[in-house]
Amino acid sequence: ILRDGRCLATLRGPRMRLAGKWEFPGGKVEEGEDPRDALVRELREELRLEVNIGALLGTGYADDGESRVRLDVYAALLAADASELRLLEHSEARWVSADELDSLDWAEADVPVLARLRALLRRRSPTRDPCLRTGDLVYDPAARLAERGGQPLDLTGRELGILETLLRRPGWIVSRDALIESVWGFDFPDSSNL
């Protein structure tokens, strides 16, 4: 969960496996459940937080003695109507900057994602708003999250690319060729129906 150039880290509580290790909050995906829906559910259950889920940042693996754990880490932002964080299973929570990430004793599965997260946090400077806006439409290019009226938009990667291209050129007329070059990165033949 990202906020003001920091990410939320939680310390596993005494009744949890790997007690005393820091982690990115989340939990297990139920049978047949979408991983993003699982993350929303787990954050609601464990921290009483409402979030909007963005792009996958990375995946980590670890053996916990009983099984092999796969951890998918997604960028997320607090929802506009998010309440105050409540610790129900964890013993501590901190908003951590890029430079503070290495000072925590992380659970093994979280470690492979730290470099990518550090780079993301450094791009999300708290001194400037990283979001692109028009009216009630907000797009965060670093987290790849779009919202309208405080509600998340479920857009594909290409749709997000089109949105970003248009938001970065307010008041411009963007040609088909310029849009294709910006989003797809190459020229389509003239026979394309795009």
Side-chain angles (χ1 to χ4, degrees), residues 139-174:
Y139 175 60
D140 182 338
R144 301 205 36 95
L145 289 169
E147 295 180 352
R148 184 160 191 193
Q151 298 299 311
L153 299 175
D154 187 20
L155 301 176
T156 67
R158 297 273 192 236
E159 291 167 336
L160 289 171
I162 292 168
L163 179 63
E164 181 174 354
T165 298
L166 296 174
L167 287 172
R168 288 192 184 279
R169 295 165 178 83
W172 290 23
I173 296 172
V174 180

Side-chain angles (χ1 to χ4, degrees), residues 6 8-9 13 45 50 66 78 107 109 148 160 183-184:
R6 296 176 177 269
L8 182 64
E45 290 173 0
E50 296 296 327
E66 297 177 19
L78 291 175
R148 184 160 191 193
L160 289 171
V183 176
W184 281 268

Side-chain angles (χ1 to χ4, degrees), residues 168-182:
R168 288 192 184 279
R169 295 165 178 83
W172 290 23
I173 296 172
V174 180
S175 72
R176 170 188 173 271
D177 292 338
L179 192 59
I180 289 171
E181 176 67 28
S182 175

Side-chain angles (χ1 to χ4, degrees), residues 93-144:
R94 289 185 195 167
W95 291 100
V96 183
S97 71
D99 295 330
E100 296 168 317
L101 287 172
D102 291 332
S103 68
L104 302 179
D105 184 16
W106 291 94
E108 181 183 348
D110 294 89
V111 172
V113 183
L114 293 176
R116 176 93 191 265
L117 179 61
R118 185 177 298 104
L120 176 63
L121 291 174
R122 287 189 174 137
R123 286 195 311 263
R124 293 180 56 89
S125 168
T127 60
R128 66 173 181 83
D129 184 357
C131 296
L132 303 171
R133 302 168 189 277
T134 185
D136 67 346
L137 179 65
V138 180
Y139 175 60
D140 182 338
R144 301 205 36 95

